[in-house]
């Protein structure tokens, strides 16, 4: 990427749709702050907003979009089907569209491969799992309510099961997964790519109070480049070929995270980051229903 124009960069999905390379994440953003964060981001030039039914902030996101003055047609909106809604896909998208105040979303994801019983969150829905959910998702693009469908937190074995089912007609456009130097998941990213699935990295900065911000390797590189650790992390992910959705509610940080055009990392600098030995996950699977395991440690 000779010119390193990340802020206008898009990735072409297997549907032909173009997803903006940088988006604003809204997971764990406190109530009352999301609306302003979305407005700040769109005014700063972001054109990709990521939310989810489970975040309970879609209404605020929708208000921020309206307040920004940016036309809906210029904004990529991703939202996600919550686990207890797996058997109610049509209701799920209708709920999200109503909260967001829009007629369609650009990308709708199965948030987790866990069909949770809405009456008992420690159990799964009887006679149902994410395979059936995906087949319900496949009906959505024809309705006009959803431009693209995809998944989130799916591992290789989840995707292999999906592809082995003769009823599967549509390949997910995106797999949104946790991606940062301490959870790089190279095997999973390579698998996604081999199947024509675009990877989006969530918690790409390592989330709130990230240990990455005090990592000497990253601090030294940031000092050398005259940039922030966050900016280095974003360009690392973009150079690797995935879209990134850094989360912030602070105007200055939202703007700073978008000021990365012109920043390039050499092959050696990428290798230095790749070789960081520490490992941690921001988001585990121990909160899911009994017997549901999502992460198997096979991503590397």
């Amino acid at each position: 990427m000779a010119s390193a124009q990340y802020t206008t960069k898009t990735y072409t999905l297997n549907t032909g749709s173009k997803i903006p390379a940088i988006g604003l994440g809204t997971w764990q953003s406190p109530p009352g702050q999301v609306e302003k964060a979305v407005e700040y981001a769109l005014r700063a030039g972001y054109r990709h907003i990521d939310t989810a039914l489970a975040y309970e902030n879609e209404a605020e996101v929708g208000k921020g979009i309206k307040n920004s003055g940016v036309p809906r047609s210029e904004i990529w909106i991703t939202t996600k089907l919550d686990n207890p809604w797996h058997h109610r896909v049509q209701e799920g998208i209708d709920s999200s569209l109503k909260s967001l105040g829009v007629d369609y979303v650009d990308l709708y994801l199965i948030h987790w491969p866990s069909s949770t019983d809405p009456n008992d969150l420690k159990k799964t829905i009887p006679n149902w799992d994410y395979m059936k959910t995906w087949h319900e998702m496949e009906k959505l693009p024809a309705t006009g309510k959803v431009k693209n469908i995809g998944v989130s937190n799916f591992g290789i074995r989840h995707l292999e099961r999906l592809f082995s089912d003769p009823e599967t007609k549509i390949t997910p456009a995106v797999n949104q997964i946790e991606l940062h130097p301490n959870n790089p998941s190279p095997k999973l990213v390579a698998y996604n790519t081999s199947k024509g699935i675009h990877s989006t990295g969530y918690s790409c900065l390592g989330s709130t109070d990230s240990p990455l911000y005090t990592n000497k390797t990253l601090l030294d590189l940031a000092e050398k480049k005259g940039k922030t650790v966050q900016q280095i992390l974003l360009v690392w992910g973009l150079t690797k070929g995935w879209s990134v959705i850094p989360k912030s509610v602070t105007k200055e940080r939202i703007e700073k995270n978008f000021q990365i055009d012109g920043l390039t990392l050499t092959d050696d600098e990428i290798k230095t980051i790749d070789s960081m030995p520490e490992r941690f996950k921001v988001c585990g699977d121990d909160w899911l229903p009994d017997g549901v395991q999502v992460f198997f440690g096979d991503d590397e």
Side-chain angles (χ1 to χ4, degrees), residues 39-290:
E39 184 180 345
Y40 294 148
L42 291 170
R43 288 180 186 238
Y46 289 70
R47 290 297 179 266
H48 174 176
I49 305 294
D50 182 272
T51 184
L53 195 155
Y55 302 167
E56 299 182 344
N57 63 15
E58 288 171 313
E60 274 196 66
V61 168
K63 287 176 186 171
I65 289 170
K66 281 195 180 65
N67 295 344
S68 73
V70 176
R72 166 69 186 96
S73 59
E74 294 181 17
I75 305 168
W76 181 282
I77 301 175
T78 296
T79 194
K80 311 176 193 79
L81 179 76
D82 198 10
N83 302 349
W85 294 67
H86 270 211
H87 57 322
R88 298 174 289 161
V89 171
Q90 292 286 350
E91 289 178 53
I93 186 59
D94 287 345
S95 172
S96 288
L97 293 177
K98 184 179 179 183
S99 295
L100 286 162
V102 297
D103 297 326
Y104 70 94
V105 293
D106 299 272
L107 179 62
Y108 195 46
L109 306 177
I110 296 180
H111 206 155
W112 291 84
S114 173
S115 302
T116 303
D117 188 338
N119 300 311
D120 186 347
L121 300 182
K122 273 299 170 189
K123 294 181 179 177
T124 53
I125 301 167
N127 304 311
W128 195 277
D129 71 0
Y130 66 87
M131 299 287 287
K132 289 184 178 178
T133 306
W134 182 251
H135 299 322
E136 290 300 307
M137 293 279 286
E138 290 181 316
K139 300 173 184 176
L140 292 180
T143 68
K145 296 175 182 179
V146 169
K147 301 287 187 187
N148 302 274
I149 55 172
V151 296
S152 181
N153 297 300
F154 273 50
I156 294 171
R157 62 184 73 187
H158 301 111
L159 292 166
E160 284 183 335
R161 187 167 168 239
L162 205 63
F163 291 129
S164 69
D165 186 340
E167 286 188 38
T168 298
K169 302 290 187 284
I170 298 178
T171 296
V174 169
N175 188 11
Q176 186 180 124
I177 52 179
E178 182 176 339
L179 286 172
H180 50 76
N182 289 167
N183 193 71
S185 306
K187 277 188 184 172
L188 178 53
V189 171
Y191 181 86
N192 288 340
T193 303
S194 75
K195 297 295 184 181
I197 303 170
H198 173 71
S199 300
T200 293
Y202 75 75
S203 293
C204 50
L205 304 179
S207 203
T208 311
D209 299 322
S210 170
L212 293 170
Y213 300 165
T214 55
N215 181 281
K216 189 175 187 310
T217 298
L218 294 173
L219 285 168
D220 289 349
L221 192 52
E223 186 177 3
K224 174 184 167 187
K225 297 283 188 180
K227 295 291 183 180
T228 67
V229 166
Q230 289 89 337
Q231 290 169 325
I232 296 292
L233 288 167
L234 294 174
V235 170
W236 174 79
L238 293 164
T239 305
K240 290 279 198 177
W242 55 75
S243 48
V244 291
I245 46 172
K247 169 249 161 178
S248 180
V249 293
T250 310
K251 184 173 186 285
E252 293 72 24
R253 285 188 198 145
I254 288 169
E255 292 171 350
K256 201 82 171 170
N257 288 343
F258 205 65
Q259 293 165 357
I260 54 176
D261 284 345
L263 171 58
T264 55
L265 297 173
T266 66
D267 289 346
D268 284 344
E269 288 165 345
I270 292 287
K271 283 176 188 168
T272 297
I273 296 173
D274 287 349
S275 63
M276 287 167 51
E278 302 85 0
R279 290 291 178 266
F280 74 87
K281 279 187 72 64
V282 172
C283 203
D285 57 11
D286 56 353
W287 58 277
L288 293 169
D290 297 335

